[in-house]
Coordinates of all heavy atoms in Angstrom, one line a residue:
M1 N 128.1 56.6 121.3 CA 127.3 55.5 121.0 C 127.8 54.8 119.7 O 127.5 55.3 118.6 CB 125.9 55.9 120.8 CG 125.0 56.1 121.9 SD 123.4 56.3 121.4 CE 122.7 57.4 122.6
T2 N 128.4 53.7 119.8 CA 128.8 53.0 118.6 C 128.2 51.6 118.8 O 128.1 51.0 119.8 CB 130.3 52.8 118.5 OG1 130.8 52.2 119.7 CG2 131.0 54.2 118.3
S3 N 127.7 51.1 117.6 CA 127.1 49.8 117.7 C 128.0 48.7 117.2 O 129.0 49.0 116.6 CB 125.8 49.8 116.9 OG 126.1 49.8 115.5
V4 N 127.6 47.5 117.4 CA 128.4 46.4 117.0 C 128.4 46.2 115.5 O 129.4 45.9 114.9 CB 127.9 45.1 117.7 CG1 128.7 43.9 117.3 CG2 128.0 45.3 119.2
N5 N 127.3 46.5 114.9 CA 127.2 46.4 113.4 C 127.6 47.6 112.6 O 127.5 47.6 111.4 CB 125.7 46.0 113.0 CG 124.7 47.0 113.4 OD1 125.1 48.1 113.8 ND2 123.5 46.7 113.2
G6 N 128.2 48.6 113.3 CA 128.7 49.8 112.6 C 127.8 50.8 112.2 O 128.1 51.7 111.4
T7 N 126.5 50.7 112.6 CA 125.5 51.7 112.1 C 125.6 53.0 112.9 O 125.0 54.0 112.6 CB 124.1 51.2 112.1 OG1 123.8 50.8 113.4 CG2 124.0 50.0 111.2
G8 N 126.2 53.0 114.1 CA 126.2 54.1 114.9 C 125.0 54.3 115.8 O 124.9 55.3 116.5
G9 N 124.2 53.3 115.9 CA 122.9 53.4 116.7 C 123.2 52.9 118.1 O 124.3 52.6 118.5
P10 N 122.2 52.9 118.9 CA 122.3 52.5 120.3 C 122.7 51.0 120.4 O 122.3 50.2 119.6 CB 120.9 52.8 120.9 CG 120.0 52.8 119.8 CD 120.8 53.3 118.6
T11 N 123.5 50.8 121.5 CA 124.0 49.4 121.6 C 123.5 48.7 122.9 O 123.3 47.5 122.9 CB 125.5 49.4 121.6 OG1 126.0 50.2 122.7 CG2 126.1 49.8 120.3
T12 N 123.3 49.4 123.9 CA 122.9 48.8 125.2 C 121.4 48.8 125.2 O 120.7 49.6 124.6 CB 123.4 49.6 126.4 OG1 122.8 50.9 126.4 CG2 124.9 49.7 126.3
P13 N 120.8 47.9 126.0 CA 119.3 47.9 126.1 C 118.8 49.2 126.6 O 117.7 49.7 126.2 CB 119.1 46.8 127.1 CG 120.2 45.9 127.0 CD 121.4 46.8 126.7
A14 N 119.5 49.9 127.5 CA 119.0 51.2 128.0 C 119.0 52.2 126.9 O 118.1 53.1 126.8 CB 119.8 51.7 129.2
E15 N 120.0 52.2 126.1 CA 120.1 53.2 124.9 C 119.0 52.9 123.9 O 118.4 53.8 123.4 CB 121.5 53.1 124.3 CG 122.6 53.6 125.1 CD 124.0 53.4 124.5 OE1 124.1 52.5 123.6 OE2 124.9 54.1 124.8
I16 N 118.8 51.6 123.7 CA 117.7 51.2 122.7 C 116.4 51.7 123.2 O 115.6 52.2 122.5 CB 117.8 49.7 122.5 CG1 119.0 49.3 121.7 CG2 116.5 49.3 121.7 CD1 119.3 47.8 121.6
E17 N 116.1 51.5 124.5 CA 114.8 51.9 125.1 C 114.7 53.4 125.1 O 113.6 53.9 124.7 CB 114.7 51.4 126.5 CG 113.4 51.6 127.2 CD 113.3 51.0 128.5 OE1 114.1 50.1 128.9 OE2 112.3 51.4 129.3
A18 N 115.7 54.1 125.4 CA 115.7 55.6 125.3 C 115.4 56.0 123.9 O 114.6 57.0 123.7 CB 117.0 56.2 125.9
D19 N 116.0 55.4 122.9 CA 115.8 55.7 121.5 C 114.4 55.5 121.1 O 113.8 56.3 120.4 CB 116.8 54.9 120.6 CG 116.8 55.4 119.2 OD1 116.8 56.7 119.0 OD2 116.8 54.6 118.3
V20 N 113.8 54.3 121.5 CA 112.4 54.0 121.2 C 111.5 55.0 121.8 O 110.6 55.5 121.1 CB 112.1 52.6 121.7 CG1 110.6 52.3 121.6 CG2 112.8 51.6 120.8
I21 N 111.7 55.4 123.0 CA 110.9 56.4 123.7 C 111.0 57.8 123.0 O 109.9 58.4 122.7 CB 111.3 56.6 125.2 CG1 110.9 55.3 126.0 CG2 110.7 57.8 125.8 CD1 111.5 55.3 127.4
R22 N 112.2 58.2 122.6 CA 112.3 59.4 121.8 C 111.6 59.4 120.5 O 110.9 60.3 120.1 CB 113.8 59.7 121.6 CG 114.1 61.0 120.8 CD 115.6 61.1 120.4 NE 116.1 60.0 119.7 CZ 115.8 59.8 118.4 NH1 115.1 60.6 117.7 NH2 116.3 58.8 117.7
Q23 N 111.7 58.3 119.8 CA 111.0 58.1 118.5 C 109.5 58.1 118.7 O 108.8 58.7 117.8 CB 111.5 56.8 117.8 CG 112.9 56.9 117.3 CD 113.4 55.7 116.6 OE1 112.6 54.7 116.4 NE2 114.6 55.7 116.1
R24 N 109.0 57.5 119.7 CA 107.6 57.5 120.0 C 107.1 59.0 120.2 O 106.0 59.3 119.8 CB 107.2 56.7 121.2 CG 107.2 55.2 120.9 CD 106.8 54.4 122.1 NE 106.9 53.0 121.8 CZ 106.9 52.0 122.8 NH1 106.9 52.4 124.0 NH2 106.9 50.8 122.4
E25 N 107.9 59.7 121.0 CA 107.5 61.1 121.2 C 107.5 61.9 120.0 O 106.6 62.7 119.7 CB 108.4 61.7 122.3 CG 108.3 61.2 123.7 CD 109.3 61.6 124.7 OE1 110.3 62.3 124.2 OE2 109.2 61.3 125.8
E26 N 108.5 61.7 119.1 CA 108.5 62.4 117.8 C 107.3 62.0 117.0 O 106.7 62.9 116.3 CB 109.8 62.1 117.1 CG 111.1 62.8 117.7 CD 112.3 62.4 116.9 OE1 112.3 61.7 115.9 OE2 113.4 62.7 117.4
L27 N 107.0 60.8 117.0 CA 105.8 60.3 116.2 C 104.5 60.9 116.7 O 103.7 61.3 115.9 CB 105.8 58.8 116.2 CG 104.6 58.1 115.4 CD1 104.7 58.5 113.9 CD2 104.7 56.6 115.6
A28 N 104.4 61.0 118.0 CA 103.2 61.6 118.6 C 103.1 63.0 118.3 O 102.0 63.5 117.9 CB 103.2 61.4 120.1
D29 N 104.2 63.7 118.3 CA 104.2 65.2 117.9 C 103.8 65.3 116.4 O 103.0 66.2 116.1 CB 105.6 65.8 118.1 CG 105.9 65.9 119.6 OD1 105.0 65.9 120.4 OD2 107.1 66.1 119.9
T30 N 104.3 64.4 115.6 CA 104.0 64.5 114.1 C 102.5 64.2 113.9 O 101.9 64.9 113.1 CB 104.8 63.4 113.4 OG1 106.2 63.7 113.6 CG2 104.5 63.5 111.9
V31 N 102.0 63.2 114.6 CA 100.6 62.9 114.4 C 99.7 64.0 114.9 O 98.7 64.4 114.3 CB 100.2 61.6 115.2 CG1 98.7 61.3 115.3 CG2 100.9 60.4 114.5
A32 N 100.1 64.6 116.0 CA 99.3 65.8 116.6 C 99.4 67.0 115.6 O 98.3 67.6 115.3 CB 99.9 66.2 117.9
A33 N 100.5 67.2 115.0 CA 100.6 68.3 114.0 C 99.8 68.0 112.8 O 99.1 68.9 112.3 CB 102.1 68.5 113.6
L34 N 99.8 66.8 112.3 CA 98.9 66.4 111.2 C 97.4 66.5 111.5 O 96.6 67.0 110.7 CB 99.2 65.0 110.7 CG 100.5 64.8 109.9 CD1 100.8 63.3 109.7 CD2 100.5 65.5 108.6
H35 N 97.1 66.1 112.7 CA 95.7 66.2 113.1 C 95.2 67.7 113.1 O 94.2 68.0 112.7 CB 95.5 65.6 114.5 CG 94.1 65.6 115.0 ND1 93.6 66.6 115.7 CD2 93.0 64.8 114.8 CE1 92.3 66.4 116.0 NE2 92.0 65.3 115.4
T36 N 96.1 68.5 113.7 CA 95.7 70.0 113.7 C 95.6 70.5 112.3 O 94.7 71.3 112.0 CB 96.8 70.7 114.5 OG1 96.9 70.2 115.8 CG2 96.5 72.2 114.6
K37 N 96.5 70.1 111.4 CA 96.5 70.7 110.1 C 95.3 70.2 109.3 O 94.8 70.9 108.5 CB 97.8 70.3 109.4 CG 98.0 70.9 108.0 CD 99.3 70.6 107.5 CE 99.6 71.3 106.2 NZ 100.9 71.1 105.6
L38 N 94.8 69.0 109.5 CA 93.8 68.4 108.8 C 92.4 68.6 109.4 O 91.4 68.2 108.8 CB 94.0 66.9 108.5 CG 95.3 66.6 107.7 CD1 95.5 65.1 107.7 CD2 95.2 67.2 106.3
D39 N 92.3 69.2 110.6 CA 91.0 69.4 111.3 C 90.4 70.7 110.7 O 90.6 71.8 111.2 CB 91.3 69.5 112.8 CG 89.9 69.5 113.5 OD1 88.9 69.4 112.9 OD2 90.0 69.6 114.8
V40 N 89.6 70.5 109.7 CA 89.0 71.6 108.9 C 88.0 72.4 109.8 O 88.0 73.6 109.8 CB 88.3 71.1 107.7 CG1 87.6 72.3 106.9 CG2 89.3 70.5 106.7
K41 N 87.2 71.7 110.6 CA 86.2 72.3 111.5 C 86.9 73.3 112.5 O 86.5 74.4 112.6 CB 85.5 71.3 112.2 CG 84.2 71.8 112.9 CD 83.5 70.6 113.5 CE 82.2 71.0 114.1 NZ 81.4 69.9 114.7
T42 N 88.0 72.9 113.1 CA 88.7 73.7 114.0 C 89.3 74.9 113.3 O 89.3 76.0 113.8 CB 89.7 72.9 114.8 OG1 89.1 71.9 115.5 CG2 90.5 73.8 115.8
Q43 N 89.9 74.6 112.2 CA 90.5 75.7 111.4 C 89.5 76.8 111.0 O 89.7 78.0 111.1 CB 91.2 75.2 110.1 CG 92.5 74.5 110.4 CD 93.2 74.0 109.1 OE1 92.7 74.3 108.0 NE2 94.3 73.4 109.2
A44 N 88.3 76.3 110.6 CA 87.2 77.3 110.3 C 86.8 78.1 111.5 O 86.6 79.3 111.4 CB 86.0 76.5 109.7
R45 N 86.7 77.4 112.6 CA 86.3 78.2 113.9 C 87.3 79.2 114.2 O 87.0 80.3 114.6 CB 86.1 77.2 115.0 CG 84.8 76.4 115.0 CD 84.7 75.5 116.2 NE 83.5 74.7 116.2 CZ 83.4 73.6 116.7 NH1 84.4 73.1 117.5 NH2 82.3 72.9 116.6
N46 N 88.6 78.8 114.1 CA 89.7 79.7 114.5 C 89.7 80.9 113.5 O 89.9 82.1 113.9 CB 91.1 79.0 114.4 CG 91.2 78.0 115.6 OD1 90.5 78.1 116.6 ND2 92.1 77.1 115.4
K47 N 89.5 80.7 112.2 CA 89.5 81.7 111.2 C 88.3 82.7 111.5 O 88.4 83.9 111.4 CB 89.4 81.1 109.8 CG 89.5 82.1 108.7 CD 90.8 82.7 108.6 CE 90.9 83.6 107.4 NZ 92.2 84.3 107.3
A48 N 87.1 82.1 111.8 CA 86.0 82.9 112.1 C 86.2 83.8 113.3 O 85.8 85.0 113.3 CB 84.7 82.0 112.3
A49 N 86.8 83.2 114.3 CA 87.1 84.0 115.6 C 88.1 85.1 115.3 O 87.9 86.2 115.8 CB 87.6 83.1 116.6
A50 N 89.1 84.8 114.4 CA 90.1 85.9 114.1 C 89.4 87.0 113.3 O 89.7 88.2 113.5 CB 91.2 85.2 113.3
L51 N 88.5 86.6 112.4 CA 87.9 87.7 111.6 C 86.9 88.5 112.5 O 86.8 89.7 112.3 CB 87.1 87.0 110.4 CG 87.9 86.4 109.3 CD1 87.0 85.7 108.3 CD2 88.7 87.5 108.6
K52 N 86.3 87.8 113.4 CA 85.4 88.6 114.3 C 86.2 89.5 115.2 O 85.8 90.7 115.4 CB 84.6 87.6 115.2 CG 83.6 88.2 116.1 CD 82.9 87.2 117.0 CE 82.0 87.9 117.9 NZ 81.4 86.9 118.8
D53 N 87.3 89.1 115.7 CA 88.2 89.9 116.5 C 88.7 91.1 115.7 O 88.8 92.2 116.2 CB 89.4 89.2 117.0 CG 89.0 88.2 118.1 OD1 87.9 88.3 118.7 OD2 89.8 87.3 118.4
R54 N 89.0 90.9 114.4 CA 89.4 92.0 113.5 C 88.3 93.0 113.2 O 88.6 94.2 113.1 CB 90.0 91.5 112.2 CG 91.5 91.5 112.1 CD 92.0 91.0 110.8 NE 91.2 91.3 109.7 CZ 91.4 90.7 108.5 NH1 92.3 89.8 108.4 NH2 90.6 91.0 107.5
A55 N 87.1 92.5 113.1 CA 86.0 93.4 112.7 C 85.3 94.1 113.8 O 84.4 94.9 113.6 CB 85.0 92.5 111.9
T56 N 85.6 93.7 115.1 CA 84.9 94.4 116.2 C 85.9 95.0 117.1 O 87.1 94.7 117.1 CB 84.1 93.3 117.0 OG1 85.0 92.3 117.5 CG2 83.0 92.7 116.2
T57 N 85.4 96.0 117.9 CA 86.2 96.7 118.8 C 86.3 95.8 120.1 O 85.7 94.8 120.2 CB 85.6 98.1 119.2 OG1 84.3 97.9 119.8 CG2 85.5 98.9 118.0
D58 N 87.1 96.3 121.1 CA 87.2 95.5 122.3 C 85.9 95.4 123.1 O 85.6 94.4 123.8 CB 88.2 96.2 123.3 CG 89.6 96.1 122.7 OD1 89.9 95.2 121.9 OD2 90.4 97.0 123.1
S59 N 84.9 96.3 122.8 CA 83.6 96.2 123.5 C 82.7 95.3 122.7 O 81.6 95.1 123.2 CB 83.0 97.6 123.7 OG 82.8 98.2 122.4
G60 N 83.1 94.8 121.6 CA 82.2 94.0 120.8 C 81.4 94.7 119.7 O 80.7 94.0 119.0
K61 N 81.5 95.9 119.6 CA 80.8 96.7 118.6 C 81.6 96.6 117.3 O 82.8 96.6 117.3 CB 80.6 98.1 119.0 CG 79.8 98.3 120.2 CD 79.6 99.7 120.6 CE 78.7 99.8 121.9 NZ 78.5 101.2 122.3
P62 N 80.8 96.7 116.1 CA 81.5 96.7 114.8 C 82.4 97.9 114.7 O 82.1 99.0 115.1 CB 80.4 96.7 113.8 CG 79.2 96.4 114.6 CD 79.4 96.7 116.0
R63 N 83.6 97.7 114.1 CA 84.5 98.8 113.8 C 83.8 99.7 112.7 O 83.2 99.2 111.8 CB 85.8 98.3 113.3 CG 86.6 97.6 114.3 CD 88.0 97.3 113.8 NE 88.8 96.5 114.7 CZ 89.4 96.9 115.8 NH1 89.3 98.2 116.1 NH2 90.0 96.1 116.6
P64 N 83.9 101.0 112.9 CA 83.2 102.0 112.0 C 83.7 101.8 110.5 O 82.9 101.9 109.6 CB 83.6 103.3 112.5 CG 83.9 103.1 113.9 CD 84.5 101.7 114.0
S65 N 85.0 101.5 110.3 CA 85.4 101.4 108.9 C 84.8 100.1 108.3 O 84.5 100.1 107.1 CB 87.0 101.3 108.9 OG 87.4 100.2 109.7
Y66 N 84.7 99.0 109.0 CA 84.1 97.8 108.5 C 82.6 98.0 108.3 O 82.0 97.5 107.3 CB 84.3 96.6 109.4 CG 85.8 96.1 109.3 CD1 86.7 96.4 110.3 CD2 86.2 95.4 108.2 CE1 88.0 95.9 110.3 CE2 87.5 94.9 108.2 CZ 88.4 95.2 109.2 OH 89.7 94.8 109.1
A67 N 81.9 98.7 109.2 CA 80.5 99.0 109.1 C 80.3 99.9 107.8 O 79.3 99.6 107.1 CB 80.0 99.7 110.3
A68 N 81.1 100.8 107.6 CA 80.9 101.7 106.4 C 81.1 100.8 105.1 O 80.4 101.0 104.1 CB 81.9 102.8 106.4
G69 N 82.1 100.0 105.1 CA 82.4 99.1 104.0 C 81.2 98.2 103.7 O 80.8 97.9 102.6
A70 N 80.6 97.6 104.8 CA 79.5 96.7 104.6 C 78.3 97.5 104.1 O 77.6 97.0 103.2 CB 79.2 96.1 106.0
A71 N 78.1 98.7 104.6 CA 77.0 99.5 104.1 C 77.2 99.9 102.6 O 76.2 99.8 101.8 CB 76.9 100.8 104.9
A72 N 78.4 100.2 102.2 CA 78.6 100.5 100.8 C 78.4 99.2 99.9 O 77.8 99.3 98.8 CB 80.1 101.0 100.7
A73 N 78.8 98.1 100.4 CA 78.6 96.8 99.7 C 77.1 96.5 99.5 O 76.7 96.1 98.5 CB 79.4 95.7 100.3
L74 N 76.4 96.7 100.6 CA 75.0 96.5 100.6 C 74.3 97.4 99.6 O 73.4 97.0 98.8 CB 74.4 96.6 102.0 CG 72.9 96.4 102.1 CD1 72.5 95.0 101.7 CD2 72.4 96.7 103.5
A75 N 74.7 98.7 99.6 CA 74.1 99.7 98.7 C 74.4 99.3 97.3 O 73.6 99.4 96.4 CB 74.6 101.1 99.0
A76 N 75.6 98.8 97.0 CA 76.0 98.4 95.7 C 75.2 97.2 95.2 O 74.7 97.2 94.1 CB 77.5 98.0 95.6
V77 N 74.9 96.2 96.1 CA 74.1 95.1 95.7 C 72.7 95.5 95.5 O 72.0 95.1 94.5 CB 74.2 94.0 96.8 CG1 73.1 92.9 96.6 CG2 75.6 93.4 96.9
V78 N 72.1 96.4 96.3 CA 70.7 96.8 96.1 C 70.6 97.6 94.8 O 69.7 97.4 94.0 CB 70.3 97.7 97.3 CG1 69.0 98.4 97.0 CG2 70.1 96.8 98.6
G79 N 71.6 98.5 94.5 CA 71.6 99.2 93.3 C 71.7 98.3 92.1 O 71.1 98.5 91.1
L80 N 72.5 97.3 92.1 CA 72.7 96.3 91.0 C 71.4 95.6 90.8 O 71.0 95.4 89.6 CB 73.8 95.4 91.3 CG 74.1 94.3 90.3 CD1 74.6 95.0 89.0 CD2 75.2 93.3 90.8
V81 N 70.7 95.1 91.9 CA 69.5 94.4 91.7 C 68.4 95.3 91.1 O 67.7 94.9 90.2 CB 69.0 93.9 93.1 CG1 67.6 93.4 93.0 CG2 69.9 92.8 93.6
A82 N 68.3 96.6 91.6 CA 67.4 97.5 91.0 C 67.6 97.8 89.5 O 66.7 97.8 88.7 CB 67.4 98.8 91.8
W83 N 68.9 97.9 89.2 CA 69.3 98.2 87.8 C 68.9 97.0 86.9 O 68.4 97.2 85.8 CB 70.8 98.5 87.8 CG 71.3 98.7 86.4 CD1 71.1 99.8 85.6 CD2 72.1 97.8 85.6 NE1 71.7 99.6 84.4 CE2 72.4 98.4 84.4 CE3 72.7 96.6 86.0 CZ2 73.2 97.8 83.4 CZ3 73.5 96.0 85.0 CH2 73.8 96.6 83.8
R84 N 69.2 95.8 87.4 CA 68.9 94.6 86.6 C 67.4 94.4 86.4 O 67.0 93.9 85.4 CB 69.5 93.4 87.3 CG 71.0 93.3 87.4 CD 71.6 92.8 86.2 NE 71.4 91.4 86.0 CZ 71.7 90.8 85.0 NH1 72.3 91.4 84.0 NH2 71.4 89.5 84.8
R85 N 66.6 94.8 87.4 CA 65.1 94.6 87.3 C 64.5 95.6 86.2 O 63.6 95.3 85.6 CB 64.4 94.9 88.6 CG 64.6 93.7 89.5 CD 63.7 93.9 90.7 NE 63.9 92.7 91.6 CZ 63.0 92.4 92.5 NH1 62.0 93.2 92.7 NH2 63.1 91.3 93.2
R86 N 65.2 96.7 86.1 CA 64.7 97.7 85.1 C 65.0 97.3 83.7 O 64.3 97.8 82.7 CB 65.3 99.1 85.4 CG 64.7 99.7 86.6 CD 65.2 101.1 86.8 NE 64.7 101.7 88.0 CZ 65.0 102.9 88.4 NH1 65.7 103.7 87.7 NH2 64.5 103.3 89.6
R87 N 66.0 96.5 83.5 CA 66.4 96.1 82.1 C 65.5 95.1 81.6 O 64.8 94.5 81.5 CB 67.8 95.6 82.1 CG 68.8 96.7 82.4 CD 70.2 96.2 82.3 NE 70.5 96.0 80.9 CZ 71.6 95.4 80.5 NH1 72.4 94.9 81.3 NH2 71.8 95.2 79.2

């Protein structure tokens, strides 16, 4: 593909049309990627689903290690509140 003006771009109407179609597809892909990246609501849902999958077993029950950690954190908070009330 050599052009008349020396830029190396498409020269025939068919080449120009094919180039325009390719550029439109690239632009559509870019816009879709930006939309996905900037869609905070969907990102939050995906992150919540990933965390839920990590914290539960295949049957949907909490993983014992996470349950123990949550219980320890709750006990620490209750202990801290009780300690602060006594002071």
Side-chain angles (χ1 to χ4, degrees):
M1 281 191 209
T2 58
S3 71
V4 177
N5 62 8
T7 61
T11 56
T12 66
E15 289 174 341
I16 293 171
E17 188 175 341
D19 190 45
V20 168
I21 291 171
R22 181 189 54 78
Q23 288 180 2
R24 282 182 182 163
E25 289 172 354
E26 288 178 7
L27 181 60
D29 291 343
T30 302
V31 169
L34 286 172
H35 182 267
T36 300
K37 188 173 185 176
L38 297 175
D39 190 0
V40 177
K41 191 174 186 179
T42 300
Q43 286 183 2
R45 284 183 184 152
N46 292 342
K47 184 69 172 178
L51 289 173
K52 183 179 176 186
D53 288 343
R54 255 183 31 197
T56 57
T57 61
D58 291 336
S59 64
K61 294 182 181 178
R63 293 192 186 278
S65 59
Y66 287 104
L74 179 62
V77 169
V78 169
L80 181 64
V81 169
W83 176 71
R84 296 277 292 171
R85 284 189 177 198
R86 288 186 183 182
R87 290 184 73 193

